[in-house]
Amino acid sequence: MSRLFATRPGDDGLPGPERRLAVLALILGTLMAVVDTTMVNIALPSIAAGLEVSASRAVWVTNLFQITCAAFLLVFAALSELLSRRRLYVAGVAVFTLAALGSALSQSLESLLVFRALQGLGAAATLSIGPSIYRQIFPSRLLGSALGLSALVVAAGYAAGPAIGGVLLSLADWPWLFALHLPLGAVAVVLAWRALPRETARPGGFDWQGALLSVAMLAGLFVAMDGVGHGMSVVGIAAWAGGSLVAAMLFLWRQRRAPHPLLPLSLFAERRFSLALAAQGSAFVGQGVAFVALSFLFQQAMGFSPLETAWLFTPWPLAIMLVGPLAGRLADRLNPSLLASAGLALLVAGLASLARLEAEAGVVEVLWRMALCGIGFGLFQPPNNRELIGSVPRERSANASGAMSTSRTVGQSLGVALVGAFLAAGIAVQATLWLGALTSLLALLASLARLPLAAAAQRERRAVEAAGGD
């Protein structure tokens, strides 16, 4: 860990000692957004009872947060060029924290939903630019290690969220889940304002038409996907999906003509970026499928209780926490695409082994399969993120970060929607796990296709470092 904060001659990014507070600000902001989702999921029955609403209505406490967050990721990534990433990140954490206070004080579902939407906006502002800020903070030689730390933080948040929620609900009422963000948010705002790098804002206008089309495209897509898993009519799903498709076509048309496009399409001319983005999206579809399908498999087919099911999930995020930082560090020295491909191969094997589980299988048989998936995903994610962020020009880091966050969120949600569609059609839950293995295999093929490109880029980077005396 100390090597992350050591300075060498010729390093870009912040000086070593200044990186610590900056990273702490990023960690706090990321943890708040990630923990919130899994923590609030646990509290939905308590919220429904406390506000005297049905469970189906209470689900929107989570859904509205996720839809709002996803819809604005590309918008905030582009807006950061005008405001600066530091200002946008501080504003995002502040909005998230103040909206958490509003959520804690809400006396009705309608009020709570308004503040949850505002929390989604705050989370979108921070998550959309987080990876690009890591590139600002750390020198290029440590980018993989830094993104490995980011993967560790996200995995820790997902693992800790249900436990934190369960402990708080055993001691206090559900509003305290939101109140928990207040001291953390205050510290994160102060640290981010003081420690994050300052930069010159880009002159020029903002693509407001592209922003509106982006929100319509992503919001429509997410409502349609959510409808698949929650019994929306076929006509309703088709209407939302069709509206999203029309908005997507208009968005692409606008991006080719806008003076300052929201998402410069030139990014996708870099094949390393495009293939890494495809690999990430497909892999997160597989993970999204697995996380939902396994809940049904463990409880309905194998007879485990909800608490036992929660423990059975633990090896996956724990393995990411252990392997992710090591994979990031290795990605600074080895071909990152080779590491990512090896991780995806393990993920495919793990998902296939889970799909073959018998109803009579014991705990140990489940745990090693979950650990295998976690090891694979932990080995894949930081090197792949390094390729995503490191393959584009530094001035396009924010756009790449927004595309990266959107791909991850869309992939995860698509996986959840596919499970809902399969279950609604009466298809066995094991079949959905095979689908997750298939999408992860597609990710592996995309990753393998970029091996020679990544190797050439690595040789070029080493030549530049050698010429600079690094």
Side-chain angles (χ1 to χ4, degrees), residues 434-457:
W434 283 114
L435 175 65
L438 176 61
T439 61
S440 299
L441 178 61
L442 294 177
L444 174 59
L445 295 177
S447 186
L448 290 172
R450 62 195 164 122
L451 279 175
L453 301 173

Side-chain angles (χ1 to χ4, degrees), residues 201-281:
R202 171 181 64 78
F206 181 72
D207 183 15
W208 291 106
Q209 294 180 45
L212 293 174
L213 290 169
S214 170
V215 171
M217 169 183 70
L218 291 170
L221 176 63
F222 275 84
V223 172
M225 289 192 297
D226 182 75
V228 170
H230 289 90
M232 184 185 291
S233 68
V234 174
V235 174
I237 294 171
W240 282 105
S244 174
L245 180 60
V246 171
M249 295 171 64
L250 292 173
F251 176 75
L252 291 175
W253 178 85
R254 172 64 183 172
Q255 297 314 287
R256 294 189 180 97
R257 292 160 177 79
H260 300 286
L262 195 80
L263 179 63
L265 299 183
S266 58
L267 283 175
F268 300 96
E270 172 53 66
R271 289 191 64 212
R272 285 167 57 209
F273 174 81
S274 298
L275 290 169
L277 196 67
Q280 178 185 257

Side-chain angles (χ1 to χ4, degrees), residues 4-25:
L4 285 173
F5 307 105
T7 304
R8 292 185 186 177
D11 272 351
D12 49 348
L14 293 178
E18 296 180 20
R19 295 174 203 155
R20 296 182 185 274
L21 289 181
V23 168
L24 182 56

Side-chain angles (χ1 to χ4, degrees), residues 17 39 52 62 109 128 180 224 268-269 275 328-329 332 419 437 448:
M39 183 173 65
E52 298 180 349
T62 295
L109 179 64
S128 64
L180 177 67
F268 300 96
L275 290 169
R329 184 170 181 174
D332 290 326
V419 175
L448 290 172

Side-chain angles (χ1 to χ4, degrees), residues 48 173 216 225 269 318 465:
D173 293 332
M225 289 192 297
L318 283 181
E465 290 175 353

Side-chain angles (χ1 to χ4, degrees), residues 60-77:
W60 278 98
V61 173
T62 295
N63 287 354
L64 192 58
F65 173 90
Q66 294 175 334
I67 291 170
T68 306
C69 180
F72 282 87
L73 288 169
L74 289 177
V75 173
F76 283 131

Side-chain angles (χ1 to χ4, degrees), residues 50-108:
L51 297 179
E52 298 180 349
V53 298
S54 65
S56 61
R57 294 185 66 197
V59 166
W60 278 98
V61 173
T62 295
N63 287 354
L64 192 58
F65 173 90
Q66 294 175 334
I67 291 170
T68 306
C69 180
F72 282 87
L73 288 169
L74 289 177
V75 173
F76 283 131
L79 194 59
S80 71
E81 296 182 344
L82 289 180
L83 301 179
S84 85
R85 279 168 281 193
R86 172 173 161 269
R87 290 192 181 97
L88 182 65
Y89 191 88
V90 169
V93 175
V95 168
F96 182 91
T97 305
L98 292 173
L101 175 61
S103 297
L105 297 176
S106 293
Q107 300 296 313
S108 68

Side-chain angles (χ1 to χ4, degrees), residues 294 297 350-358 369 430-431 433-434 437:
L294 287 171
L297 177 65
L351 289 173
S353 67
L354 285 168
R356 293 173 59 85
L357 269 175
E358 300 289 341
R369 288 170 167 84
Q430 281 89 345
L433 289 170
W434 283 114

